[in-house]
Amino acid sequence: MRTPVIAGNWKMNKTATEAVSFCLELRDRVADIDRVDILVCPPFTALKPVADVLDGSRVMVGAQNMYAADEGAYTGEVSPRMLLDAGCSFVILGHSERRQYFGETDRMVNEKVRVALRYGLKPIVCVGESLEQREKGTTTTVVGEQVRNALSGVAAEEAAGLVIAYEPVWAIGTGRTASPKDAQEVNAFIREVVAGLLGASFAGKVCILYGGSVKPDNARDLMSQPDIDGALVGGASLDINSFIGIITATQEVLKT
Ligand code: PEP
């Protein structure tokens, strides 16, 4: 049985002060949620203050990116050791905005995945096709390649805690969501690819999320799919009521 993960990717939103006041309320309002793993991924500047207020609560903290080196002369970058020290247990890697605006390649994502795992940070590896690729019918080719490249050289024994997020690029921040059936098909395909790489037992345990315009009113249908184990939520995670609505819908699916 996989525990679903609802992760909020705040992108470049919320100051540390705003993030802390959001998390104080979140912490109290999700205190009774017991079947969903909840995660917020604030900008770097808010990680430590957010982790401090969430300490001892059910809500975990993740970063949105990291650099694949221990330390050194990499101006502007943040290392896995710094993320751990700030209270992170997860890190989003290979988000499509990183790939699109900051030139992240599959090779860079793979390096980051390997370093994150070495440090005991759980990577949330984002994969997904563009609209053009979907229209050309190459979704599974593209996504399969991204998953294989991201996990190249990773063994099942060192990949504990790995999470994969299927995020069709055309659905991110656009209000367009993949239908539950389409998202289920790709998530099931990703699980098969993971089984080929890391074995069926690992693949049966790995959480594969869906991301792309998830909202309280579409969460239930998406989360009811057998291979969708939660959501990576952008826009709707910035609003406390929407974020809690998605968490609650997920918990309710598990009870039905
Ligand atoms: C994201 O950025 O990971 C995302 C899924 O964004 P949104 O929910 O806004 O589409």
Side-chain angles (χ1 to χ4, degrees):
M1 169 79 179
R2 300 181 291 268
T3 302
V5 179
I6 299 296
N9 172 16
W10 289 356
K11 312 191 185 194
M12 199 173 70
N13 294 290
K14 296 194 192 294
T15 62
T17 311
E18 291 161 350
V20 164
S21 91
F22 182 105
C23 287
L24 284 169
E25 187 177 346
L26 179 67
R27 184 187 69 180
D28 294 344
R29 288 179 60 184
V30 298
D32 291 339
I33 301 280
D34 52 1
R35 302 189 188 193
V36 179
D37 284 342
I38 305 164
L39 173 67
V40 287
C41 303
F44 288 135
T45 48
L47 288 174
K48 175 84 172 107
V50 158
D52 286 347
V53 299
L54 294 176
D55 192 25
S57 80
R58 298 214 56 257
V59 186
M60 298 174 285
V61 181
Q64 300 172 18
N65 182 32
M66 57 160 237
Y67 193 65
D70 300 339
E71 61 185 1
Y74 303 104
T75 302
E77 295 295 331
V78 173
S79 77
R81 203 161 68 89
M82 293 167 186
L83 298 184
L84 287 170
D85 181 61
C88 292
S89 42
F90 288 81
V91 59
I92 298 173
L93 297 175
H95 190 279
S96 66
E97 287 153 13
R98 300 287 324 160
R99 296 177 191 257
Q100 188 180 348
Y101 304 133
F102 303 100
E104 281 196 15
T105 61
D106 280 0
R107 197 180 58 77
M108 290 157 77
V109 174
N110 174 246
E111 263 180 71
K112 291 182 183 197
V113 169
R114 293 165 68 160
V115 173
L117 289 171
R118 178 150 56 78
Y119 273 90
L121 275 168
K122 298 173 188 163
I124 302 178
V125 180
C126 301
V127 295
E129 82 288 2
S130 66
L131 186 56
E132 195 191 345
Q133 290 163 333
R134 172 156 284 260
E135 284 170 348
K136 277 202 295 203
T138 56
T139 297
T140 51
T141 312
V142 170
V143 169
E145 177 105 336
Q146 287 174 333
V147 172
R148 274 186 284 271
N149 288 339
L151 300 183
S152 170
V154 173
E157 309 76 68
E158 54 196 19
L162 171 79
V163 175
I164 298 176
Y166 167 54
E167 299 209 302
V169 178
W170 48 270
I172 296 180
T174 60
R176 290 183 61 184
T177 318
S179 70
K181 180 174 165 289
D182 286 348
Q184 160 59 25
E185 262 173 36
V186 180
N187 275 34
F189 167 75
I190 292 173
R191 203 176 300 285
E192 272 171 36
V193 174
V194 173
L197 293 168
L198 301 176
S201 153
F202 184 92
K205 289 187 224 131
V206 70
C207 275
I208 305 178
L209 315 185
Y210 167 78
S213 298
V214 176
K215 309 231 162 8
D217 57 359
N218 59 25
R220 172 180 272 273
D221 286 348
L222 286 160
M223 298 311 137
S224 308
Q225 302 300 315
D227 287 290
I228 300 184
D229 309 315
L232 183 53
V233 186
S237 71
L238 294 169
D239 177 83
I240 188 119
N241 293 323
S242 302
F243 192 47
I244 291 174
I246 294 167
I247 295 165
T248 311
T250 305
Q251 164 118 330
E252 277 164 11
V253 166
L254 295 173
K255 288 194 169 146
T256 56

